[in-house]
Amino acid sequence: MLVRLRPARHEDIPDLLALINAYAGRGLLLARTEASLRTSLADFTGAEVSGEVAGCGALQALGPGLAEVRSLAVRADRTGSGLGRAILERLFDEAGARGFREVAAVTSGEVRRKTPAFESRGHDVGSVETGDHHPGDVRAVEL
């Protein structure tokens, strides 16, 4: 499988929406609108396999030295292929290049079990209660 990781482009928006909102429909990601993607498109990395968008992820600045990984999604037929890990590694590299010292991700328990890339890099995972919502995890990575 040849994967091309690249900045997302405007023509990717329909594919990104489909990927992200498929996960949102299962309660695993926050839903996105076309307008929200257009506004934050520069934060997104797309993963292309055989000329098609098969995955994505975003790195958004939260403050000085701190960024968040958002909207990490992989097409169902590519789940378990390592594509999500490759996107996440690219986002970590981008974070370092942009001068972020820490990267966080807020995830559900199901996503945490399926995305061990934070732990595999030797970083800590801390749980946090999210008010009236389900418990989640904040994963902080010190770069």
Side-chain angles (χ1 to χ4, degrees):
M1 168 178 75
L2 180 61
V3 176
R4 182 173 167 236
L5 297 173
R6 58 168 175 75
R9 302 183 295 236
H10 286 281
E11 59 266 24
D12 296 331
I13 289 175
D15 292 328
L16 299 177
L17 281 172
L19 279 168
I20 294 164
N21 290 338
Y23 281 85
R26 295 177 18 223
L28 300 175
L29 287 178
L30 297 176
R32 293 286 194 147
T33 64
E34 184 174 338
S36 72
L37 273 180
R38 286 190 186 286
T39 301
S40 61
L41 192 62
D43 295 335
F44 276 83
T45 292
E48 205 175 273
V49 177
S50 300
E52 297 180 349
V53 175
C56 66
L59 185 72
Q60 184 176 39
L62 295 181
L66 176 63
E68 180 182 10
V69 171
R70 293 186 173 183
S71 301
L72 181 62
V74 173
R75 208 170 62 197
D77 65 331
R78 298 294 177 185
T79 301
S81 69
L83 187 57
R85 179 180 299 273
I87 296 167
L88 193 54
E89 292 294 335
R90 171 62 65 91
L91 295 175
F92 287 152
D93 290 345
E94 180 184 335
R98 290 174 56 187
F100 295 114
R101 293 181 314 279
E102 294 181 297
V103 176
V106 179
T107 66
S108 71
E110 182 178 342
V111 172
R112 178 174 36 86
R113 286 187 296 278
K114 292 183 177 179
T115 313
F118 279 84
E119 291 93 336
S120 69
R121 291 174 61 97
H123 303 296
D124 294 329
V125 175
S127 293
V128 61
E129 291 296 325
T130 56
D132 295 330
H133 306 299
H134 301 288
D137 290 325
V138 176
R139 295 162 176 244
V141 177
E142 195 169 317
L143 299 174

